[in-house]
Amino acid sequence: MNDRHIYLDHAATTPVKPQVLEAMLPYFSDKFGNASTIYSVGRESKKALEEAREKVATALGVMPREIFFTGSGTEADNWAIKGTAYANKDKGRHIITTSIEHHAVLHACQYLESDGFKVTYLPVDENGLVSPQQVLDAITPETILISIMFANNEIGTIQPIGEIGKIAREKGIIFHTDAVQAVGNIPINANDLNVDLLSLSGHKFYGPKGVGALYIRKGVKIASFLHGGAQEKGRRASTENVPAIVGLGKAIELATQNIDEYNKKLIELRDRTINEVMEKIPFVRLNGDRYKRLPGNVNFSFEFIEGESLLLMLDMKGIAASSGSACTSGSLDPSHVLLAIGLPHEIAHGSLRITFGEENTHEDVDYLMEVLPMIVNRLREMSPLYEKVKRGN
């Protein structure tokens, strides 16, 4: 049994930082009050909730009253898309998005299609990029919402959000970005980017699972997603998950304090891994834009192997990685993102996503490069197609 444990799947989830856990703990016990009550223990919870809201707002360059807490990034995406669609359907019933969005966006859009809305799914180029011109060309008099993810969860490609936001603002169309992978990894100012709605999730930047937030720019017309009590200014019913919200606030505060230094480290690990894999392993493709990508994201497709077998053998060597989105890892279908950038099914099946985090080191890359070429070679030796290539047939 291998005694090494190297975690290289930070895009799936991150561990909770000790400082975050420490901030959360009192709100499970001593400060357990319901934030909607008026007595002292409730007021303590309310104060902590509002302090967390201020921290999220500061990180995004917006006003605290524009931040609304949710139970996840998925809920935030669904609220942004369905809430905007139903609140603005008298103006039109057309939505623009891309073919590589997270399923939280794609499935929400497909649901709306079943209710009479029209959705344009823009294609992307071989690097996973959508152009602002594509967005502009897709706009019709019926368009009420544009939803383009900030950075892709699988291949790490960062979209031209500022340029798309400018187009949306000029056309008077609400612009949503799923920034679940971007927040805490790259600096974001929602106002500067002309973003109207922005989704985020705590567990992607060393906060707890089960909590997210939706930025709703003041003046944006959006319907409530959950109905019940008057929490979150009457826009999102449900007793607030105060410990998780406190954790989200602390995590985003820590994530944005030294973000440039953090990114520099991740980019070094990312670029070194890309260079060494491309140099040492034949028949490999880097997926996503080489430079317009998240600092810690690497995604390869290896010909003549199955990604699932690769992950299992890496796990036996003590390395945790992914073949794509954590939300679809149980599926045998190839990644919709990899198919959208033009990969054939057989190559899309041989994908590996490595996502670095704060605790990773160059020693981790040393070990990865020690075992990965051997594993790829071993798996290829089992492939009759690879045998034909080696023989030159």
Side-chain angles (χ1 to χ4, degrees):
M1 183 72 179
N2 187 72
D3 59 356
R4 285 182 184 255
H5 297 285
I6 298 174
Y7 186 73
L8 299 176
D9 200 17
H10 292 82
T13 195
T14 55
V16 174
K17 283 186 177 179
Q19 306 97 304
V20 173
L21 180 59
E22 183 182 356
M24 293 171 64
L25 285 175
Y27 297 92
F28 287 109
S29 53
D30 298 339
K31 301 179 180 181
F32 63 89
N34 188 319
S36 297
T37 55
I38 62 172
Y39 41 76
S40 60
V41 70
R43 292 199 303 272
E44 278 187 333
S45 293
K46 181 68 172 177
K47 181 173 182 288
L49 190 150
E50 296 307 325
E51 287 174 354
R53 198 186 310 278
E54 288 181 15
K55 290 174 182 177
V56 175
T58 298
L60 299 179
V62 301
M63 295 182 290
R65 61 183 174 178
E66 297 174 309
I67 299 298
F68 297 85
F69 294 113
T70 65
S72 63
T74 293
E75 184 194 327
D77 282 340
N78 273 260
W79 184 9
I81 292 164
K82 295 175 186 175
T84 300
Y86 287 124
N88 296 275
K89 62 183 179 181
D90 55 325
K91 297 179 182 177
R93 299 175 73 92
H94 179 236
I95 297 166
I96 298 170
T97 188
T98 77
S99 57
I100 64 165
E101 299 295 311
H102 189 278
H103 283 115
V105 169
L106 293 178
H107 289 172
C109 287
Q110 289 161 11
Y111 172 83
L112 288 172
E113 284 183 292
S114 72
D115 200 22
F117 288 84
K118 294 181 180 179
V119 182
T120 297
Y121 300 92
L122 295 175
V124 294
D125 67 15
E126 62 180 10
N127 292 322
L129 283 164
V130 64
S131 75
Q133 187 63 46
Q134 284 176 279
V135 176
L136 181 61
D137 292 344
I139 292 172
T140 76
E142 288 278 303
T143 306
I144 55 172
L145 174 66
I146 298 169
S147 180
I148 309 287
M149 71 192 328
F150 206 113
N152 187 264
N153 51 302
E154 294 190 37
I155 59 175
T157 298
I158 299 172
Q159 300 296 344
I161 294 300
E163 296 172 65
I164 296 169
K166 187 171 183 289
I167 290 169
R169 187 61 55 86
E170 288 172 352
K171 294 292 184 179
I173 299 168
I174 295 172
F175 178 41
H176 166 248
T177 185
D178 171 358
V180 165
Q181 290 291 331
V183 171
N185 285 305
I186 49 180
I188 294 174
N189 186 300
N191 272 325
D192 290 350
L193 296 169
N194 289 311
V195 169
D196 298 306
L197 302 163
L198 181 148
S199 309
L200 61 89
S201 181
H203 74 107
K204 302 298 186 180
F205 47 87
Y206 299 90
K209 299 174 182 65
V211 64
L214 179 64
Y215 157 66
I216 305 175
R217 185 176 61 81
K218 183 185 175 184
V220 169
K221 190 178 177 184
I222 182 170
S224 295
F225 189 61
L226 290 181
H227 301 91
Q231 293 88 357
E232 294 299 280
K233 305 180 188 70
R235 303 184 86 167
R236 197 268 186 187
S238 186
T239 299
E240 300 94 342
N241 185 352
V242 176
I245 290 170
V246 168
L248 171 66
K250 185 64 175 178
I252 204 167
E253 179 183 48
L254 293 172
T256 51
Q257 276 177 356
N258 300 303
I259 197 164
D260 292 336
E261 186 179 333
Y262 177 55
N263 284 348
K264 182 181 178 183
K265 172 192 171 179
L266 293 192
I267 289 169
E268 285 181 4
L269 297 174
R270 179 197 75 186
D271 289 352
R272 181 188 163 195
T273 302
I274 291 172
N275 292 337
E276 293 196 21
V277 168
M278 301 294 283
E279 178 185 327
K280 295 179 180 179
I281 303 177
F283 303 107
V284 61
R285 171 198 159 111
L286 175 68
N287 298 316
D289 193 275
R290 177 63 179 84
Y291 300 104
K292 296 175 186 175
R293 68 186 305 128
L294 289 170
N297 177 288
V298 179
N299 188 305
F300 295 111
S301 285
F302 299 95
E303 294 187 51
F304 313 113
I305 66 170
E306 286 286 334
E308 186 176 2
S309 300
L310 177 58
L311 293 183
L312 289 172
M313 293 186 75
L314 283 170
D315 187 41
M316 290 172 66
K317 294 291 186 179
I319 297 174
S322 168
S323 61
S325 168
C327 302
T328 57
S329 58
S331 172
L332 295 177
D333 295 329
S335 157
H336 71 286
V337 175
L338 298 183
L339 295 180
I341 63 174
L343 268 64
H345 279 238
E346 63 273 16
I347 296 179
H349 267 301
S351 66
L352 172 68
R353 182 185 70 177
I354 295 165
T355 43
F356 293 104
E358 189 172 283
E359 70 273 23
N360 292 129
T361 64
H362 281 281
E363 285 72 26
D364 294 340
V365 178
D366 291 340
Y367 182 62
L368 175 68
M369 294 314 305
E370 179 185 324
V371 301
L372 182 60
M374 291 189 299
I375 291 173
V376 170
N377 188 61
R378 182 178 172 189
L379 290 171
R380 282 176 173 169
E381 292 298 330
M382 303 176 190
S383 168
L385 290 174
Y386 186 59
E387 281 299 311
K388 287 183 180 180
V389 170
K390 284 206 305 181
R391 292 197 304 266
N393 294 348

